[in-house]
Amino acid sequence: MPPDQADRPPAVFYDGASNRRHPVRLVTGPDLAMEEDGVTIARWAYGDIRRADGDGRLRLRCLSGPPLARLEIADEALAASLLARLPASGRDAGRGHGRARQIVGWSLAACVSILALVLYGIPFAAGRLAPLVPLSVEQRLGDATDTRLRAMLGGRVCTRPDGAAALARMVEALGTAGGIARPVEVLVLSSPVANAVTLPGGRIYVFDGLLRKAETPDELAGLIAHEMGHVHNRDGLRTVIRAGGTSFLIGLLFGDVTGGAAIIFAANALLDAAQSRDAERVADDFAAATVTALGRPPAAFGDLLVRITGSDSRGTILDSHPVSVERLDRLAAAPGTAQTLSSGPALLDDAGWQALRQICADAATGSHPGPDGPKGPVRRSDKQNRP
Amino acid sequence: MDQPALAVTALAVTALAPTAPEPAAPEPARWVRFHGRRPTFRRLVMRGALLELLTAGFYRFWLATDIRRHLWSHTLIDGDPLEYVGRARELLIGFLVATAILVPVYLAYFLIGLEATRLQAFAGLPLVLVLYVFAGFAAYRSRRYRVTRTVWRGLRASMTGSGIGYALRMVAWDLLVVISLGLALPWRQAALERYKMRHTAYGTLAGAFDGTGGALFRRGWPLWLLAIPGVLLIIPIPFLVAAFRAILWQWWVSNIRFGAVRFHSYLDRDSLFGCYWKATGWAVLLAVMMGLWLGGVLGIAAALATAPVPGGTPDYAMAFQHPLVVAGIAIGYLLMVLGLGVVIRIYLTRDIWARIAETTAIHGLSAADGVTGQGSAADALGEGFAGGFDLNLGGI
């Protein structure tokens, strides 16, 4: 049974060196003296006395002296008179509302700085870091992504020889005109989704669904040139660096809130969208410059975009691609367009174009992967994300 | 499985110093008591949840500290309260240091992962394994922090031992548990508790753990038999978990020793049913509310969806990605998570703590009279790792 609280001495002192209880008499003079059997065993200066946690009775500690020394006062009148002598800071046990306000303020400051880093610092760093990454490392990253992406997309690479030859001709011409200093591999995937994906390291997947939407070789050429622009600017690599940095920082913030992963994913999706809009514009400009150099109309690519997405000109913050009509106008207004419109030779003759469109025809497109694109570093292929 | 810091109530010891020792008469049992008021605790965790939301989670260090201070200071051992002298600032610093250590680890993992994914598409396993071993280390170091921040009658509890040594033992035992289909669990618990208590002390009173795997097995084997059918039927799960935890706590408290000071727990097998059922009920209610909220938000979005071409089907994907819809889903989700946190802290932390404390008796306390000696206070690095890794280490 617990000892009866009533027969406790009015004050008990623990010296912080042993757990022996010292029943003491308190002498309140210039400082607080504790007497045991008439001998003063401790003196505390009032200014150094602070409250310690306790259960229903006053417990005090002292800043000067042994850190674990404690004075317990069971007598309420004595406790009240002693509390009155303490400085204001000694009266609460450090759990006031002022503390919460302070924490909220500092946390908000930390959040703002982390957000600023996520929005501006990391993209800037990614842009600066990407050129420093050796091509071989980027290639490796692409290979790693490739395995994962192919596992998700299903489908197969279409390799009908005459179609593949036509595609190779087109890619060759575009690569030369665009001045890309690295090998670019373009493959057609037997997926019904109208999209294309570019991996870090320079591999481009054009889905069969997109190939079927294209009506002229110029439209497809514009699209491939656009994806080559991503390769040229190393956008895939930049995305990987940015997404990694963002995940890490936001993970810091929500370290312990369950579902931090979901928050990270959402934040990355938003950021990706916002920041890849610029990348898309740059890739569009690259595409326009490339096909113009070949003497073909850049606006054809814009027509393809509008056909895929409709002429709806509303965008949300989750749109990674600028709205199609806007892009069409921009492509049509590309410098030098008027003079070179269709002045160059056609990129593919009719037979070549038909062969390319039938590149997947030798097998039934059995697998219909859903509209979900890769969730890995390259996230540019859900329904919203148009080439 | 971490034994929450309740360990420290075991540091309880001593009777009023007897004026004249009477070795002939057996010493009466002393009791542990819990005087914390439920409304006080409820207010504390609800306000904490709100502040966690406002501070994007940074408040967690202060909330954890306040919860511990509340539980410790209202737990009386032979009439004297425990005191938790840890401070949130220490947890914050521990977390920041842990983060600084983790950055290169994550980076290295990323590069290794790059190599590994070329071999197979989904190679997430290595990180899970590394995290798992690390969790053992973090759990041990976290316990050390909590134990060394526990004061009773002006004396600190102390803890030594190696976090890495503990983690390796844990891994080895867990392997055995898996191989034996769970039958080795009692012996795993006994071995790990022996290691923890062997390195725990109160002043000069060395801690020890006398529990055996055999004793625990004899009390718990029916649960092992019921586990598979129970999990398949879903409904009995809270019963099974509650019974298992109660048996474990009772066995654990009853086998703790500090020098000649012994403990005995009168916790029954069904003592924790109520706690687990209340928590389950609230969790289900919160999940249903979240479902309704989600349905409402998406329903409104679908109703407002427009078709990209006139007469075509509405573009739902577009509508569901509207920022307002995303924000609505996020708010609902966060509220659910925070609500769940409050429920868990009230029913599974405070109530279980109170029940265990109230059913614990102490024998031979006079052995602890006049104990001296002070361990040193350990750093909060383990707690930092635990926080950074999103590990729930008992939540206390």
Side-chain angles (χ1 to χ4, degrees):
Chain A
M1 290 291 101
D4 186 4
Q5 303 283 330
D7 63 8
R8 283 183 168 276
V12 175
F13 178 67
Y14 296 101
D15 61 11
S18 99
N19 73 352
R20 202 163 78 76
R21 338 175 64 212
H22 300 268
V24 289
R25 198 172 72 84
L26 299 181
V27 183
T28 50
D31 55 10
L32 182 67
M34 290 152 234
E35 285 186 0
E36 187 181 27
D37 303 329
V39 182
T40 302
I41 55 171
R43 282 180 181 283
W44 285 2
Y46 293 116
D48 288 344
I49 299 179
R50 297 286 180 274
R51 258 189 108 137
D53 293 350
D55 174 62
R57 69 195 100 129
L58 182 64
R59 296 180 80 247
L60 299 172
R61 59 196 172 90
C62 182
L63 299 180
S64 50
L68 296 182
R70 293 288 182 271
L71 176 64
E72 290 186 358
I73 296 150
D75 181 87
E76 280 183 27
L78 185 60
S81 72
L82 196 55
L83 266 182
R85 289 169 169 270
L86 298 188
S89 55
R91 278 177 220 162
D92 75 17
R95 281 195 261 187
H97 284 268
R99 190 197 65 173
R101 257 201 300 278
Q102 217 179 359
I103 298 164
V104 171
W106 280 109
S107 303
L108 287 179
C111 287
V112 167
S113 64
I114 286 180
L115 276 179
L117 266 179
V118 164
L119 286 175
Y120 305 106
I122 292 179
F124 178 79
R128 283 279 180 279
L129 281 173
L132 304 179
V133 175
L135 285 182
S136 61
V137 173
E138 188 184 335
Q139 188 68 52
R140 207 160 268 188
L141 191 67
D143 292 349
T145 317
D146 191 39
T147 325
R148 205 172 291 190
L149 180 68
R150 290 296 310 282
M152 275 178 195
L153 290 177
R156 53 180 186 87
V157 175
C158 304
T159 52
R160 208 167 130 162
D162 49 354
L167 181 61
R169 279 205 300 280
M170 183 185 275
V171 171
E172 175 67 30
L174 288 167
T176 313
I180 292 208
R182 50 197 297 198
V184 176
E185 188 181 15
V186 182
L187 297 169
V188 180
L189 263 192
S190 67
S191 158
V193 182
N195 206 347
V197 174
T198 302
L199 297 181
R203 178 172 287 189
I204 297 167
Y205 284 115
V206 179
F207 298 179
D208 189 40
L210 188 67
L211 201 55
R212 288 173 186 286
K213 291 246 183 202
E215 288 173 5
T216 66
D218 286 335
E219 292 183 0
L220 185 67
L223 168 96
I224 292 176
H226 168 92
E227 298 298 335
M228 280 180 172
H230 284 309
V231 174
H232 185 70
N233 301 326
R234 304 180 83 177
D235 286 335
L237 180 65
R238 278 214 300 235
T239 307
V240 171
I241 297 174
R242 203 182 55 220
T246 306
S247 304
F248 185 78
L249 271 184
I250 296 190
L252 256 189
L253 263 185
F254 294 96
D256 147 284
V257 177
T258 335
I263 295 167
I264 288 170
F265 180 77
N268 259 329
L270 287 173
L271 280 165
D272 254 13
Q275 285 161 351
S276 58
R277 267 199 285 267
D278 294 339
E280 294 304 324
R281 277 200 191 88
V282 176
D284 279 350
D285 293 348
F286 181 92
T290 304
V291 294
T292 307
L294 290 169
R296 304 305 304 171
F301 175 41
D303 293 336
L304 174 65
L305 288 176
V306 174
R307 193 172 313 128
I308 294 170
T309 61
S311 57
D312 186 6
S313 60
R314 288 171 312 133
T316 71
I317 52 165
L318 276 162
D319 269 357
S320 62
H321 290 51
V323 179
S324 302
V325 175
E326 184 189 317
R327 291 172 76 183
L328 172 62
D329 297 345
R330 194 179 157 84
L331 287 162
T337 304
Q339 301 80 14
T340 59
L341 204 59
S342 309
S343 64
L347 293 176
L348 289 178
D349 54 10
D350 250 358
W353 176 234
Q354 288 317 319
L356 177 49
R357 295 203 66 191
Q358 296 300 314
I359 192 167
C360 290
D362 55 347
T365 40
S367 64
H368 282 268
D372 293 334
K375 293 283 184 291
V378 178
R379 242 184 271 105
R380 309 205 346 261
S381 67
D382 58 63
K383 254 193 177 143
Q384 289 295 312
N385 292 355
R386 301 173 293 257
Chain B
M1 205 175 315
D2 178 67
Q3 297 284 20
L6 198 68
V8 298
T9 46
L11 303 170
V13 256
T14 102
L16 294 168
T19 42
E22 296 173 57
E27 204 182 328
R30 305 286 175 183
W31 292 88
V32 180
R33 284 282 168 257
F34 184 70
H35 283 182
R37 292 182 58 254
R38 213 144 179 281
T40 311
F41 186 83
R42 194 179 57 231
R43 273 196 301 276
L44 191 156
V45 291
M46 284 179 123
R47 179 171 172 264
L50 194 71
L51 282 165
E52 268 196 302
L53 185 65
L54 278 179
T55 59
F58 271 117
Y59 194 74
R60 61 184 180 270
F61 309 109
W62 284 268
L63 179 59
T65 302
D66 284 351
I67 288 175
R68 292 174 195 173
R69 284 173 74 173
H70 174 93
L71 294 176
W72 264 243
S73 67
H74 295 297
T75 302
L76 284 77
I77 289 170
D78 189 31
D80 283 315
L82 294 172
E83 191 188 336
Y84 178 79
V85 294
R87 287 299 171 261
R89 197 169 301 219
E90 295 164 348
L91 295 185
L92 177 64
I93 291 168
F95 168 73
L96 293 175
V97 172
T99 303
I101 293 171
L102 288 180
V103 173
V105 170
Y106 275 133
L107 206 63
Y109 167 74
F110 174 71
L111 295 173
I112 292 165
L114 220 57
E115 289 297 321
T117 4
R118 296 170 69 203
L119 309 175
Q120 65 187 98
F122 301 94
L125 197 63
L127 181 69
V128 171
L129 280 176
V130 169
L131 285 185
Y132 157 71
V133 176
F134 217 78
F137 170 83
Y140 193 82
R141 295 288 296 261
S142 298
R143 183 182 187 270
R144 198 170 86 180
Y145 172 81
R146 291 192 300 263
V147 165
T148 58
R149 292 298 184 291
T150 300
V151 175
W152 185 68
R153 290 188 181 167
L155 220 57
R156 188 195 296 281
S158 61
M159 187 166 155
T160 56
S162 143
I164 294 167
Y166 177 82
L168 294 178
R169 282 173 173 79
M170 184 193 79
V171 170
W173 274 105
D174 281 348
L175 262 176
L176 265 179
V177 170
V178 171
I179 292 166
S180 67
L181 300 177
L183 277 175
L185 187 68
W187 286 272
R188 169 199 185 269
Q189 296 299 109
L192 294 183
E193 286 312 323
R194 268 199 300 276
Y195 185 81
K196 283 192 279 202
M197 287 307 298
R198 195 164 65 227
H199 293 103
T200 307
Y202 173 72
T204 48
L205 288 181
F209 188 75
D210 300 332
T212 61
L216 181 59
F217 181 80
R218 277 192 294 281
R219 306 196 60 220
W221 67 264
L223 289 178
W224 180 77
L225 278 183
L226 288 171
I228 304 244
V231 168
L232 290 180
L233 291 169
I234 297 175
I235 302 285
I237 291 176
F239 280 121
L240 284 175
V241 174
F244 174 69
R245 298 298 298 178
I247 288 171
L248 205 59
W249 281 119
Q250 198 280 334
W251 168 80
W252 182 72
V253 171
S254 299
N255 286 297
I256 285 176
R257 188 158 57 77
F258 282 93
V261 182
R262 295 176 174 282
F263 296 80
H264 185 79
S265 166
Y266 292 94
L267 196 70
D268 289 324
R269 198 170 302 193
D270 56 4
S271 296
L272 304 181
F273 282 175
C275 303
Y276 276 93
W277 268 111
K278 284 175 199 159
T280 307
W282 276 104
V284 169
L285 183 69
L286 282 167
V288 168
M289 280 162 63
M290 174 74 195
L292 289 174
W293 171 261
L294 201 68
V297 171
L298 290 181
I300 292 169
L304 297 176
T306 51
V309 285
T313 49
D315 189 351
Y316 291 120
M318 189 85 153
F320 291 161
Q321 290 188 347
H322 191 278
L324 279 177
V325 176
V326 175
I329 293 171
I331 287 167
Y333 172 78
L334 275 176
L335 287 177
M336 185 189 74
V337 168
L338 291 171
L340 207 57
V342 169
V343 166
I344 287 171
R345 282 164 184 145
I346 290 176
Y347 295 108
L348 299 187
T349 301
R350 182 215 170 267
D351 284 2
I352 291 181
W353 174 289
R355 263 174 219 195
I356 293 167
E358 289 282 339
T359 51
T360 298
I362 311 160
H363 301 283
L365 272 118
S366 54
D369 280 351
V371 163
T372 56
Q374 216 44 290
S376 58
D379 60 52
L381 185 64
E383 298 258 3
F385 280 127
F389 269 131
D390 199 5
L391 307 168
N392 181 9
L393 298 171
I396 300 171

